[in-house]
Amino acid sequence: MGQYDTLQEQILGFSSFGAAALQESPEARAVFRQFKELLNDGTIRAAEKSGSDWIVNTWVKQGILLGMRLGRLQAAMVPLDEHGAGFTFIDKDTYPLKQFTLENNVRIVPGGSAVRDGSYLAPSVVMMPPAYVNVGAYVDEGTMIDSHALVGSCAQVGKKVHLSAGVQVGGVLEPVGAMPVIIEDEVMVGGNCGIYEGTIVRERAVIGTGVILNGSTPVYDIALNRVYRKTADHPLEIPAGAVVVAGSRTIKGEFAAEHGLAIYTPVIIKYRDARTDSATALEEALR
C-alpha cells in the first residue's frame, strides 16, 4: 500500500480534526472523495491477504470513519412512479446509495436490495432481493448474495461464494484494528447462518444451515480431533474444506445433568469430498 502513503497521511491528519473544523474543510472533503473512489473500485480494501495471513488496513477503516464524521444528514428518495411516490431514506451525504452501470456487470435483481457507497462488488456478482451490502465491504467475482442476506461493513467475501438466504455476515468498523469477517473463495454458507466477530472461513469450507460462528463459541473438529477457538491474538478460523454443522455438547454439573441440558456448538463433521462437491455445486447459469 506504499503508493497511497500520501493519502494515508492526509486521512490520519484529518481524523484528528475536531467536528466543527472538519465540517468546514473543503480539503477534507476532497481527500475523502479520492479515498472513496478507490474503495468503490476495489483498489483499496479494509483487509487483504498476505501469504496465508489476513492483514487489517487500519488506515482504510479510519478513512471510512472519517466519512462518517465528515458527512451531514441528507434526505434522499428513490422514485417509484411518475406521481412522486418513492422510497425515502436519511443518511450521511458522504454515503449515498452506490451507483451501478451495465459496464460494472453486477446483477441486482429488483425487489428492495441496497448497496452503500464505499463498497465493492466485482463483475458477475449477483444480489437477490432483498439484501444489503454495507460500506467497506468487498465482494469478489461470481459470488451470490441471496435474499435477506447482509454483508456487513468491511467484510471481505471471496470469489464464487454462495451466501444463502438469511445469512448474516457481521461488520466491524471499531476498533479500527479489529479483523473484519473474512470468507475466502468458493465457500458455501447455508441459510440463516451468522458469521461474526472477525471469523475467518477458509476456502471451500461449507457452513451448514443455521450455524453461528463467533468469538465466544469453540468449534469441535471430530474429523481431526481438534478444537478451534478465538484467542487474544487470533480470530476464530475455520479450516479450508471443512464441513461445519450445528451441534451441541453436554453441560457439566449436577443441575445440568439432572435436566439433560446441552449447549450449542458448531461441529466439523468431515472435510470436502466428491459427494460434498456435488451437493454444493454452483449453477453457473444463475450467474
Side-chain angles (χ1 to χ4, degrees), residues 78 87 89 91 95-100 106 108-117 119 121 127-135 137 139 145-146 148-152:
V78 178
F87 175 72
F89 63 93
D91 198 1
Y95 291 114
L97 286 175
K98 186 178 176 73
Q99 300 296 310
F100 292 93
V106 173
I108 302 179
V109 178
S113 295
V115 181
R116 205 174 187 192
D117 210 26
S119 59
L121 272 61
M127 283 185 71
M128 301 301 291
Y132 185 71
V133 177
N134 207 348
V135 61
V139 183
I145 304 171
D146 216 332
H148 298 282
L150 163 71
V151 180

Side-chain angles (χ1 to χ4, degrees), residues 252-259:
K252 295 180 180 180
E254 291 183 6
F255 182 83
E258 178 185 350
H259 294 277

Side-chain angles (χ1 to χ4, degrees), residues 1-246:
M1 305 300 291
Q3 60 182 312
Y4 301 114
D5 285 348
T6 300
L7 181 61
Q8 180 177 351
E9 290 173 3
Q10 290 172 319
I11 286 172
L12 295 178
F14 286 122
S15 296
S16 66
F17 277 34
L22 196 61
Q23 291 283 341
E24 299 302 321
S25 172
E27 293 83 5
R29 286 253 168 187
V31 166
F32 178 71
R33 281 194 297 271
Q34 178 187 358
F35 167 80
K36 195 169 66 170
E37 286 176 5
L38 296 172
L39 264 186
N40 273 321
D41 65 18
T43 302
I44 59 175
R45 303 171 59 167
E48 57 190 335
K49 202 170 185 181
S50 176
S52 61
D53 296 325
W54 282 87
I55 308 299
V56 179
N57 290 322
T58 56
W59 75 273
V60 173
K61 294 173 74 174
Q62 286 171 313
I64 294 170
L65 290 171
L66 176 65
M68 299 290 185
R69 296 180 60 222
L70 198 58
R72 299 180 177 88
L73 285 182
Q74 172 181 271
M77 186 179 74
V78 178
L80 297 178
D81 60 33
E82 67 276 14
H83 304 296
F87 175 72
T88 302
F89 63 93
I90 297 173
D91 198 1
K92 297 293 185 75
D93 64 345
T94 45
Y95 291 114
L97 286 175
K98 186 178 176 73
Q99 300 296 310
F100 292 93
T101 67
L102 284 174
E103 286 69 30
N104 296 123
N105 196 27
V106 173
R107 186 152 67 97
I108 302 179
V109 178
S113 295
V115 181
R116 205 174 187 192
D117 210 26
S119 59
Y120 175 70
L121 272 61
S124 69
V125 166
V126 179
M127 283 185 71
M128 301 301 291
Y132 185 71
V133 177
N134 207 348
V135 61
Y138 185 104
V139 183
D140 217 333
E141 297 177 358
T143 285
M144 168 76 78
I145 304 171
D146 216 332
S147 301
H148 298 282
L150 163 71
V151 180
S153 54
C154 298
Q156 306 291 298
V157 181
K159 293 180 173 67
K160 294 186 177 181
V161 171
H162 190 111
L163 302 179
S164 300
V167 167
Q168 304 290 290
V169 178
V172 60
L173 277 174
E174 297 179 293
V176 292
M179 180 72 72
V181 171
I182 308 290
I183 301 178
E184 294 189 344
D185 296 348
E186 299 185 49
V187 169
M188 169 67 73
V189 185
N192 293 316
C193 289
I195 304 177
Y196 307 109
E197 298 179 9
T199 296
I200 299 176
V201 182
R202 294 293 186 177
E203 61 186 25
R204 303 186 75 249
V206 177
I207 311 302
T209 300
V211 169
I212 305 297
L213 300 173
N214 58 40
S216 304
T217 307
V219 178
Y220 291 81
D221 187 340
I222 62 174
L224 299 179
N225 297 324
R226 296 178 181 173
V227 181
Y228 305 104
R229 290 184 172 90
K230 179 180 180 179
T231 68
D233 302 317
H234 200 275
L236 173 65
E237 184 171 321
I238 303 301
V243 179
V244 189
V245 300

